[in-house]
């Protein structure tokens, strides 16, 4: 018997894969299919052989690794004892969400696709590899891939006779939502216990760049760590930020002002939302399982800085009574209007609040039940830990570049998390949690290592170098740090520490100041000057670590190291490339980059 069950599993580091999975689930409901959306590690993998149709959506993290909520699932699939035909009854599709500026683009999705084939599963669609670097963003691949998926699935699982499928959008809420204007106002943000979050206190929030420097960078020190909290160099701190007060005020004005009807239900900041499950396939997230006030949701849960997705345009088109608004929204939300939508939303980085302000008739008619469809939750942001567990006991330090830039819109674009962190004052209490990072430093302290960390990329290396300093194992023969910044006087992060360690013979330190001379100087140029040193380190089995912005730096650094192998080591280009690829496979060439 053919099941009308479609299992949708995701592996997501930031939540994007979950968003796409829920989009597929919504469409599945329109086609009268059942089945849950779950993180891979939340699914009982022993039941997988009983499934018939499965969609996998996954992102990639670190050195081409699978996300945290996919690790157990992936480890099970890699078991050597699994028969090569163990998944022969499954028809599957894999969609990867990645960024081609990373060396191992969509690596987790590629590995998963190959492993499923090896276990006998049958593909329903080609492997989808979405790329954030595409002019139209990930949707350039996601949209046609989902369309291809449904073409196949609806042949396999045609709509049962007598069950209609609406050609209209007809959006309905995924949960049952009721409101009470009781004045009840929870004092704490909705916190998930699954992420093992814990409270810390802001000790210091210091700007490390000069006041007149173009970029504001903060060294934020967090103290009062609960007993038992430990970390090692290379680990990552995760933070779920709060919305900026001015954005919360804007949303309150939109939803509770005189023009706001909210489908006949007058909302106030103190209105309490109670969310319960409608469909067992779509359970209520843990933070929403307790009642939440509108002001709490606006402050702590909904991402008011998010760039709207196509689905949000469809919601507004559904509810607006204004014909002109409906026409424009539907045009942008159509497949033919993709470029128009990108020009309106993505290119200028327009936020969900700015979208709502542009369509006042839609906003004043949004049913409160659809607010949880319109707004996406704030996703956590990760930061390499810049402190040492031994040198900075009971503290966590992060180095944060405050994101602020201009587009064609009048108002500057502000990064949600970095600006919130920059606004924190000493003694503020925030919730954070720890996660293993992608950088793995060698246990043998005699192994020489090259660390390339321009800008805030130097953070994890500070953690490691200061640990070696306190342990008395730091020496200039084994620790080689290449740092880059614009100006010696402007953004030379931790300059006193590096110069002191260098003077004491504990660190070999080189710095590229890109704007302090007529010709621009970057870390790759310094590496090319040190070809003899680089070759000596690599020849002896040394490691290379690269951390920082994923734009051009990682590729340029790798090319400089490759050229060192050619110039000094006697390799040809192909052999040098193979040498570095082998280092990468063995964990001796590691990168941690971000866009």
């Amino acid at each position: 018997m053919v099941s009308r069950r479609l299992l949708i599993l995701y592996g997501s580091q930031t939540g994007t894969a979950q968003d796409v999975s829920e989009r597929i689930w919504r469409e599945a409901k329109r086609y009268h299919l059942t089945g849950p959306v779950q993180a891979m590690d939340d699914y009982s993998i022993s039941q997988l052989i009983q499934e018939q149709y499965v969609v996998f959506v996954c992102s990639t993290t670190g050195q081409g690794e699978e996300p945290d909520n996919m690790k157990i699932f992936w480890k099970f699939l890699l078991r050597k004892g699994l028969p090569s035909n163990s998944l022969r009854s499954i028809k599957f599709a894999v969609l990867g969400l990645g960024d081609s500026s990373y060396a191992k683009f969509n690596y987790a999705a590629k590995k998963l696709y190959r492993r499923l084939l090896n276990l006998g599963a049958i593909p329903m669609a080609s492997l989808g590899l979405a790329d954030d670097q595409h002019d139209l963003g990930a949707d350039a691949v996601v949209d046609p891939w989902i369309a291809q998926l449904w073409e196949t699935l609806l042949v396999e699982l045609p709509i049962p006779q007598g069950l209609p499928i609406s050609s209209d959008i007809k959006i309905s809420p995924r949960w049952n939502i009721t409101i009470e204007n009781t004045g009840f106002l929870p004092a704490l943000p909705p916190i998930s216990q699954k992420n093992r979050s814990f409270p810390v206190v802001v000790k210091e929030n210091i700007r490390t760049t000069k006041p007149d420097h173009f970029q504001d960078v903060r060294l934020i020190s967090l103290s009062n760590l609960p007993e038992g909290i430990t970390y090692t160099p290379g680990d990552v701190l995760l933070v779920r930020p709060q919305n900026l007060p001015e954005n919360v005020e804007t949303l309150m004005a939109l939803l509770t002002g005189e023009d706001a009807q909210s489908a006949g239900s007058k909302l106030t900041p103190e209105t309490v939302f109670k969310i319960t499950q409608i469909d067992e396939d779509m359970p209520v997230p843990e933070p929403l399982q307790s009642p939440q006030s509108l002001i709490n949701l606006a402050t702590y849960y909904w991402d008011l800085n998010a760039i709207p997705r196509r689905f949000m345009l469809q919601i507004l088109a559904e509810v607006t009574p204004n014909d002109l608004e409906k026409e424009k929204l539907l045009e942008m939300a159509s497949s033919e209007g993709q470029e128009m939508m990108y020009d309106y939303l993505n290119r200028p980085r327009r936020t969900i609040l700015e979208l709502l302000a542009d369509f006042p008739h839609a906003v004043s008619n949004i049913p409160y039940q659809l607010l949880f469809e319109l707004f996406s939750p704030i996703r956590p942001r990760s930061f390499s830990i810049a402190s040492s567990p031994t040198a900075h006991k009971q503290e966590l330090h992060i180095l944060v570049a405050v994101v602020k830039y201009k587009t064609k819109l009048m108002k500057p674009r502000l990064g949600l998390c970095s600006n919130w962190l920059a606004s924190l004052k000493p003694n503020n209490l925030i919730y954070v949690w720890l996660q293993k990072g992608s950088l793995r430093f060698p246990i043998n302290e005699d192994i020489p290592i090259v660390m390339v960390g321009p800008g805030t990329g130097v953070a994890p290396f500070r953690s490691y170098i200061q640990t070696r300093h306190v342990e008395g194992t730091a020496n200039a023969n084994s620790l080689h740090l290449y740092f880059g910044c614009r100006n010696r006087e402007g953004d030379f992060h931790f300059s006193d520490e590096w110069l002191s360690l260098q003077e004491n013979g504990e660190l070999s330190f080189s710095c590229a100041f890109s704007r302090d001379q007529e010709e621009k100087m970057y870390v790759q140029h310094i590496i090319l000057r040190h070809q003899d040193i680089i070759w000596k380190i690599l020849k002896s089995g040394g490691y290379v670590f690269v951390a920082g912005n994923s734009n051009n730096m990682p590729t340029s650094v790798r090319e400089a190291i490759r050229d060192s192998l050619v110039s000094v080591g006697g390799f040809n280009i192909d052999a040098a490339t193979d040498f570095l690829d082998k280092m990468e496979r063995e964990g001796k060439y590691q990168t941690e980059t971000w866009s």
Side-chain angles (χ1 to χ4, degrees):
M1 179 179 177
V2 177
S3 167
R4 291 193 59 76
R5 171 181 165 91
L6 177 65
L7 173 64
I8 304 169
L9 298 177
Y10 64 85
S12 185
Q13 199 70 12
T14 63
T16 306
Q18 181 179 352
D19 291 342
V20 174
S21 298
E22 290 179 359
R23 171 182 167 183
I24 296 171
W25 179 84
R26 294 176 202 278
E27 294 193 27
K29 288 298 176 183
R30 292 181 62 220
Y31 299 131
H32 306 284
L33 297 173
T34 62
V37 177
Q38 287 183 276
M40 293 186 204
D41 284 354
D42 290 341
Y43 174 74
S44 179
I45 193 170
S46 60
Q47 303 298 312
L48 190 61
I49 57 173
Q50 300 174 25
E51 304 287 353
Q52 292 185 29
Y53 300 96
V54 188
V55 174
F56 299 89
V57 183
C58 64
S59 58
T60 298
T61 184
Q63 314 295 317
E65 298 171 1
E66 61 284 349
D68 280 356
N69 58 5
M70 178 183 167
K71 290 186 182 296
I72 298 171
F73 185 94
W74 179 240
K75 186 177 180 180
F76 184 92
L77 282 187
L78 289 179
R79 289 169 58 177
K80 293 182 179 179
L82 291 178
S84 60
N85 64 349
S86 56
L87 298 183
R88 65 185 183 279
S89 63
I90 289 179
K91 294 186 176 180
F92 76 96
V94 175
L95 174 62
L97 303 175
D99 186 321
S100 59
S101 64
Y102 288 76
K104 294 193 173 179
F105 170 59
N106 265 316
Y107 205 60
K110 293 174 183 176
K111 290 190 296 183
L112 176 61
Y113 186 84
R114 287 196 299 267
R115 184 56 178 160
L116 292 169
L117 289 176
N118 291 340
L119 294 174
I122 302 167
M124 296 185 291
S126 58
L127 172 62
L129 300 175
D131 184 5
D132 279 342
Q133 292 298 316
H134 192 282
D135 284 346
L136 299 177
D139 283 347
V141 169
V142 172
D143 289 350
W145 186 90
I146 291 178
Q148 179 195 3
L149 174 67
W150 288 122
E151 283 181 15
T152 303
L153 267 174
L154 291 177
V155 171
E156 292 271 341
L157 300 170
I159 306 298
Q161 193 170 3
L163 290 179
I165 172 176
S166 172
S167 60
D168 297 330
I169 298 163
K170 300 302 179 191
I171 296 162
S172 58
R174 66 192 119 166
W175 305 304
N176 181 54
I177 299 167
T178 59
I179 59 172
E180 294 180 10
N181 287 301
T182 62
F184 170 68
L185 186 63
L188 292 175
I191 296 295
S192 171
Q193 297 307 310
K194 287 184 179 179
N195 61 29
R196 302 176 300 281
S197 60
F198 54 88
V200 290
V201 174
V202 177
K203 181 182 178 181
E204 289 183 312
N205 187 342
I206 300 172
R207 177 167 176 149
T208 64
T209 51
K210 294 295 182 182
D212 59 350
H213 190 68
F214 86 103
Q215 187 170 49
D216 182 357
V217 178
R218 301 299 181 99
L219 177 63
I220 299 175
S221 307
L222 306 169
S223 62
N224 289 32
L225 274 64
E227 189 174 346
I229 296 295
T230 60
Y231 65 94
T232 58
D235 284 354
V236 170
L237 186 76
L238 283 95
V239 179
R240 179 175 282 108
Q242 299 173 19
N243 285 306
L244 299 175
E246 55 266 34
N247 288 342
V248 175
E249 291 175 11
T250 298
L251 182 64
M252 290 299 100
L254 287 169
L255 296 183
T256 68
E258 291 183 4
D259 294 334
Q261 298 176 27
S262 192
S265 299
K266 185 66 176 177
L267 300 178
T268 70
E270 292 77 28
T271 297
V272 174
F273 289 74
K274 293 183 179 179
I275 303 103
T276 55
Q277 184 174 293
I278 295 176
D279 190 324
E280 63 180 10
D281 292 341
M282 183 57 69
V284 177
E286 185 186 2
L288 299 181
Q289 290 174 8
S290 59
Q292 296 294 333
S293 65
L294 180 60
I295 190 71
N296 251 33
L297 292 165
T299 303
Y300 303 114
Y301 191 74
W302 291 328
D303 188 346
L304 305 185
N305 229 42
I307 299 173
R309 304 187 306 275
R310 175 177 286 102
F311 184 69
M312 298 173 182
L313 302 178
Q314 294 170 337
I315 292 176
L316 297 181
E318 188 76 30
V319 302
T320 183
N322 182 277
D323 290 339
L324 289 176
E325 285 191 356
K326 183 184 290 288
E327 181 182 353
K328 185 173 182 180
L329 288 162
L330 289 178
E331 186 178 7
M332 286 194 293
S334 68
S335 56
E336 297 80 9
Q338 193 172 40
E339 185 70 39
M340 181 191 297
M341 185 187 77
Y342 191 81
D343 285 341
Y344 173 69
L345 293 176
N346 298 74
R347 191 161 280 124
R349 314 296 291 179
R350 197 180 302 270
T351 69
I352 180 66
L353 288 181
E354 289 166 333
L355 169 67
L356 295 180
D358 283 351
F359 294 91
H361 297 284
V363 174
S364 63
N365 283 273
I366 299 172
Y368 65 81
Q369 294 92 340
L370 288 184
L371 292 177
F372 290 87
E373 313 305 320
L374 186 66
F375 295 106
S376 56
I378 294 173
R379 303 299 184 185
R381 274 65 163 177
S382 57
F383 296 90
S384 295
I385 296 175
S387 53
S388 159
T390 50
H392 311 99
K393 290 185 177 180
Q394 293 303 302
E395 290 188 13
L396 288 163
H397 299 177
I398 53 176
L399 192 63
V400 180
V402 181
V403 177
K404 182 178 181 180
Y405 59 95
K406 291 184 178 181
T407 66
K408 68 179 184 180
L409 301 178
M410 292 289 293
K411 187 177 180 182
R413 306 295 89 187
L414 302 178
L416 173 59
C417 190
S418 62
N419 280 275
W420 173 69
L421 286 170
S423 72
L424 294 176
K425 302 291 189 294
N427 298 321
N428 282 166
L429 183 141
I430 65 171
Y431 284 85
V432 300
W433 63 101
L434 295 170
Q435 182 174 283
K436 279 294 171 190
S438 59
L439 300 182
R440 305 283 194 275
F441 295 99
I443 297 174
N444 185 342
E445 293 162 344
D446 293 327
I447 295 176
I449 67 173
V450 173
M451 295 163 283
V452 184
T456 57
V458 79
F461 305 136
R462 181 184 188 238
S463 178
Y464 180 68
I465 292 168
Q466 287 293 353
T467 298
R468 293 280 299 268
H469 166 67
V470 171
E471 293 173 349
T473 61
N475 68 82
N477 293 323
S478 61
L479 299 178
H480 301 260
L481 176 63
Y482 292 88
F483 175 71
C485 62
R486 285 202 168 201
N487 315 104
R488 178 183 291 273
E489 299 300 326
D491 54 345
F492 192 176
H493 309 310
F494 310 121
S495 57
D496 292 344
E497 295 181 23
W498 307 137
L499 297 177
S500 175
L501 290 165
Q502 182 183 46
E503 187 176 343
N504 293 335
E506 296 177 89
L507 177 69
S508 173
F509 176 70
S510 302
C511 187
F513 302 109
S514 65
R515 303 297 196 276
D516 277 354
Q517 61 283 314
E518 201 167 306
E519 291 187 8
K520 291 181 180 177
M521 179 73 65
Y522 297 113
V523 283
Q524 61 266 27
H525 300 132
I526 302 296
I527 288 171
L528 286 172
R529 291 181 180 179
H530 291 192
Q531 290 182 346
D532 290 336
I533 296 172
I534 296 296
W535 167 235
K536 181 180 178 182
I537 292 170
L538 299 192
K539 184 171 63 173
S540 65
Y543 282 59
V544 174
F545 297 89
V546 182
N549 191 287
S550 63
N551 211 4
N552 299 314
M553 183 273 296
T555 299
S556 298
V557 167
R558 191 184 183 96
E559 289 174 352
I561 295 174
R562 180 203 63 194
D563 291 347
S564 300
L565 295 177
V566 172
S567 299
V568 184
F571 291 75
N572 61 38
I573 289 288
D574 290 340
T577 300
D578 291 343
F579 186 94
L580 294 179
D581 289 345
K582 184 173 185 288
M583 284 185 64
E584 199 165 38
R585 290 193 300 272
E586 295 173 347
K588 291 184 175 181
Y589 194 111
Q590 301 178 32
T591 58
E592 183 175 85
T593 59
W594 53 87
S595 55

